[in-house]
Amino acid sequence: FPVIVFSHGLGGTRDGYAFLGKHWASWGYVCVHVQHLGSDDSVWRGNPKPTEALQAATTNLDNLLGRPKDISFAIDELTRRNALEAWPLKGKLDLAKLGVAGHSFGAYTSLCSAGRVLVGPGGTRYEVADARVKAALAMSPQGNERERANGSWSSFATPCFHMTGTKDTSPIVGDSTPEERRIPFDVIDKCEQYLLILEGAQHMAFSDSGRGSRNPAHWPLILASSTAFWDAELKGDAKALAWLQGGEFAALLGKEGAFEHKGAKSAPLDAGATAK
């Protein structure tokens, strides 16, 4: 089975985003949700100033470097366990077909694991990508004008699906606009890239928190398109690729959002597929 490693958002845990992992698993993926010490729920639980603590966690260099390193550690551990006789999944993981997904701070994590370079204020470059990552899903990614010029994305060459919403502002940091969240998609130019912008979707539309402010039409669209992306990139499924690129997903999306694609890979003209 292909493998998807999932990275939670700021202040979250490995127990979150179960709706994603369960759906992808039902389509034949082994889904592994990791927990990032230093930017998980331990940052705010019992803290008299939780917002300040969470804000500080986003700029801590140990967290910025440690999150993609956590992904690499998880891949190492999955590789080790895949060879263990006593492990129930021994030999069942196809680690040559591995994707990384994440939301918010987890989107940063997935993009770093897939090829983004972290450039510090003084110009120091931190290479934290893992070549074993073959595809990435970034929900509510971050971007800014500084990154357009400092080469953060210049070597990024991994297929990626970017997702955001027209009202996707950060509930904690407060300095990310919905328009800036498309910057990684706009800047990356070396490989297949997809962008989904859900109409009216707020930051937590991609999580299993904040149900009261979520459009019930969005989750099915997120699940269908993300599964087709994994199938196209990790399984080489031509029908899934055609469904994404040939207009069927855009038609299903309708007025609920906008969908963009750029890259060299073209769907077969005679292929068809159904929503996942």
Side-chain angles (χ1 to χ4, degrees):
F1 301 100
V3 177
I4 300 169
V5 181
F6 191 89
S7 171
H8 64 76
L10 177 64
T13 73
R14 62 183 177 272
D15 297 320
Y17 306 90
F19 80 103
L20 292 167
K22 289 180 178 179
H23 182 82
W24 296 333
S26 75
W27 280 85
Y29 294 88
V30 172
C31 299
V32 180
H33 291 231
V34 301
Q35 186 159 333
H36 303 284
L37 297 179
S39 58
D40 60 352
D41 63 340
S42 65
V43 176
W44 59 269
R45 288 191 185 278
N47 193 309
K49 297 183 178 180
T51 300
E52 289 86 342
L54 287 167
Q55 290 172 341
T58 64
T59 58
N60 184 302
L61 185 59
D62 288 341
N63 291 335
L64 292 170
L65 296 177
R67 274 179 157 259
K69 289 181 179 179
D70 287 345
I71 301 300
S72 292
F73 171 81
I75 299 172
D76 289 343
E77 183 65 10
L78 290 169
T79 302
R80 184 185 73 84
R81 294 191 183 195
N82 203 34
L84 291 179
E85 290 292 341
W87 199 42
L89 293 178
K90 176 186 181 296
K92 296 186 182 296
L93 276 61
D94 187 349
L95 293 164
K97 299 176 181 177
L98 185 141
V100 176
H103 174 237
S104 194
F105 210 176
Y108 159 86
T109 309
S110 65
L111 289 169
C112 280
S113 295
R116 173 189 168 166
V117 175
L118 176 62
V119 182
T124 303
R125 297 175 65 84
Y126 300 94
E127 306 272 354
V128 290
D130 193 313
R132 295 171 293 184
V133 176
K134 305 305 181 185
L137 172 63
M139 307 166 111
S140 298
Q142 301 82 32
N144 57 52
E145 293 303 321
R146 180 175 65 86
E147 293 168 359
R148 287 184 184 270
N150 67 11
S152 294
W153 308 101
S154 60
S155 59
F156 194 101
T158 303
C160 185
F161 195 163
H162 311 255
M163 294 186 178
T164 184
T166 58
K167 296 183 179 180
D168 189 359
T169 58
S170 174
I172 299 297
V173 180
D175 61 351
S176 293
T177 67
E179 294 74 22
E180 288 176 322
R181 294 196 186 278
R182 66 170 294 140
I183 288 177
F185 170 83
D186 290 335
V187 174
I188 297 170
D189 60 4
K190 287 183 170 58
C191 59
E192 214 76 10
Q193 302 293 302
Y194 300 87
L195 174 65
L196 171 62
I197 305 175
L198 291 171
E199 182 62 36
Q202 300 179 17
H203 192 68
M204 301 310 288
F206 304 96
S207 79
D208 38 20
S209 301
R211 292 180 182 274
S213 59
R214 184 185 305 124
N215 182 339
H218 288 167
W219 266 19
L221 295 167
I222 292 168
L223 294 173
S225 59
S226 61
T227 306
F229 170 73
W230 295 130
D231 285 356
E233 297 298 340
L234 298 182
K235 295 181 179 179
D237 187 329
K239 289 185 177 181
L241 185 68
W243 185 78
L244 275 178
Q245 295 185 6
E248 289 184 70
F249 173 59
L252 177 67
L253 182 62
K255 65 180 181 180
E256 296 296 344
F259 181 66
E260 300 178 38
H261 159 254
K262 65 178 185 178
K265 185 183 293 184
S266 298
L269 294 178
D270 59 348
T274 57
K276 296 181 179 294

